[in-house]
Structure formats: structure tokens, C-alpha cells
Amino acid sequence: MTSGIEQQSDRLGEELLRVQLEIQERELEMISAEIFDNVGQVLSLAKLQLSSHAPLEKDNLYKSIASSRKLVGKAIQDLRQVARPVTITEIRDKGLLFALAHEMETLGRIYNRKIEFTVNEKIDRFDQASELIAFRLLQELLAIFVEVSGKRPILASAELRESDVRFLVSNNPLLHTVKPGIAQEVLPDDARQMQIRAELINANLQISGSADGELAIFLTLPLTH
């Protein structure tokens, strides 16, 4: 007969497999989004300039070609950046904090958003399962911010406390506590699944929001010893 501990271990193993697949899918989505939104626009502008070369005078033609070359060079540089979204290997090798900072930098670049991430002091690594699941939770929640927050800055922090680390993601710099009540429309469809994942790593997940787009998310992850 399978014990409760064995069942918990099996559930964690199954969830880890799903999380890793989802992180890989998100990696491809972000590559596609950046190619379409950033690289595609730059190349379209370069194509437009190149197509208008014929009627130009010689001096203007040289300027137009130089400008087009600059745009193509920027597109190539952007493509090199695109090739470096967060990967599972990066989370395993460099940890949750490093991967989270990388994720936010990528989101800021793709969506032209101000995204800040601060850490109050050095935080040691968590166990691998906790880091992978916590990263996926925060990755999903950051995607919600991008959708519902308009152009508000996204502010994130990791605060080392006595027995845990509290991650806060908010679009209101004055919001540091969970407000009572929450507008249901800001909750993701799979909010219950997020709670289940948080429970698997003994974390506490709280989401606070309102219909006008104000949103705050707290993920408290216990320290491992």
C-alpha cells in the first residue's frame, strides 16, 4: 500500500515534469513574440527604406542605404538576444533569483515595459524542485501583469526574512500588503492549479487585485536547511 509520503513524492514528480514542459513552451512563445514584435518591425522598416531607393538622389541614396544597414544590424543584434530566454538549465545551474531577473529583463525588452527587481540581501539557493515550481508560478503571474496592468511599471522584490523568502510582484509601489477581497476578473483561469503547486513546495500564494488593474502577488517560500 502506498504511503502518504510516497503519494506526495509521486505528485511532486509529475508536477515537475509538467512545469518543465510549460517552461519550454513559454521559452518558444517568448522567442516568437520578440521576433514578431521587435525584429519583425525593424526588418519591415528596413525593407520599406530599401524599396524607396530608386527615385532618390545620389547623396540621399547613400544616407538611405546607411540607415537600412543600421536597421538590419539592429535586427541581427536583436535576434542574438532572442536566442537567450530563460531555460530549465539556467534555473538549475544559476538558481531562481538569477532566472527571475533574466525573465523580467526579457519581458521588459519584448513589451517595452519598465520592470524592476530588487533583492534585500543575498539569498541562498532553494532545493531544485522548489526553484523550478516557484519560477513557473512567478513566470505565469508576471504574464498576467503584462496583460492587465496597461503601461504601469511592474515592481518585483525578493525579501529574505527569518524563516522564508517573500516574493512580491506589484504594479503599485505603495502596495505592500494583501488587500481584503479581490476582483475575480484579475484571477487566472488556473488559479486553483497555482495554489496546488504552491502547496507542493510548502509555499504560500496570495493574489490581491481590483477591476481597475491594480494587482499584487505574494509568494512566500520557506527556507531550506
Side-chain angles (χ1 to χ4, degrees):
M1 187 173 180
T2 305
S3 68
I5 295 176
E6 289 173 335
Q7 289 179 342
Q8 181 78 357
S9 179
D10 290 343
R11 286 180 58 206
L12 181 59
E14 291 171 2
E15 205 60 46
L16 275 172
L17 288 175
R18 279 193 285 268
V19 162
Q20 290 177 75
L21 287 173
E22 290 172 13
I23 292 172
Q24 290 173 334
E25 289 174 3
R26 180 60 176 164
E27 179 187 346
L28 294 175
E29 288 173 5
M30 294 182 80
I31 289 172
S32 299
E34 188 156 15
I35 289 174
F36 180 79
D37 293 339
N38 293 350
V39 179
Q41 289 180 13
V42 172
L43 289 176
S44 294
L45 183 56
K47 180 181 178 181
L48 181 63
Q49 288 191 355
L50 289 168
S51 65
S52 62
H53 283 169
L56 296 177
E57 295 179 358
K58 194 171 184 179
D59 288 345
N60 289 333
L61 177 61
Y62 289 149
K63 291 179 182 177
S64 182
I65 290 173
S67 177
S68 297
R69 290 179 63 183
K70 186 176 180 180
L71 287 170
V72 171
K74 183 181 184 307
I76 292 171
Q77 184 179 5
D78 288 345
L79 278 171
R80 288 173 178 156
Q81 288 288 101
V82 165
R84 298 202 306 269
V86 175
T87 64
I88 294 169
T89 300
E90 180 179 315
I91 302 169
R92 286 174 174 162
D93 290 350
K94 298 185 178 180
L96 173 61
L97 277 296
F98 185 95
L100 191 56
H102 185 177
E103 179 79 6
M104 292 180 185
E105 187 273 332
T106 304
L107 285 171
R109 187 177 67 245
I110 293 176
Y111 297 104
N112 193 26
R113 296 286 296 276
K114 180 181 179 182
I115 303 179
E116 296 181 355
F117 181 45
T118 59
V119 181
N120 70 330
E121 57 183 283
K122 186 179 183 302
I123 298 173
D124 292 332
R125 296 283 304 268
F126 298 91
D127 64 90
Q128 191 172 106
S130 294
E131 292 199 325
L132 283 167
I133 291 178
F135 175 80
R136 179 56 187 156
L137 284 170
L138 291 164
Q139 186 181 53
E140 289 182 275
L141 294 166
L142 281 166
I144 296 169
F145 269 89
V146 171
E147 291 177 9
V148 306
S149 296
K151 287 295 182 182
R152 295 182 187 183
I154 299 174
L155 309 172
S157 63
E159 179 188 1
L160 177 63
R161 305 191 298 185
E162 184 176 348
S163 60
D164 58 40
V165 174
R166 188 183 76 162
F167 295 89
L168 164 64
V169 186
S170 172
N171 55 21
N172 181 346
L174 301 178
L175 190 56
H176 297 290
T177 58
V178 177
K179 289 186 174 182
I182 181 168
Q184 292 300 311
E185 56 265 37
V186 305
L187 285 172
D189 294 336
D190 56 352
R192 179 55 191 152
Q193 178 62 27
M194 290 183 178
Q195 292 289 356
I196 291 172
R197 285 181 171 175
E199 290 167 6
L200 279 174
I201 55 174
N202 299 315
N204 179 264
L205 175 63
Q206 294 176 292
I207 304 174
S208 175
S210 60
D212 65 357
E214 185 178 83
L215 191 60
I217 292 157
F218 299 85
L219 179 68
T220 305
L221 193 60
L223 293 171
T224 53
H225 300 288

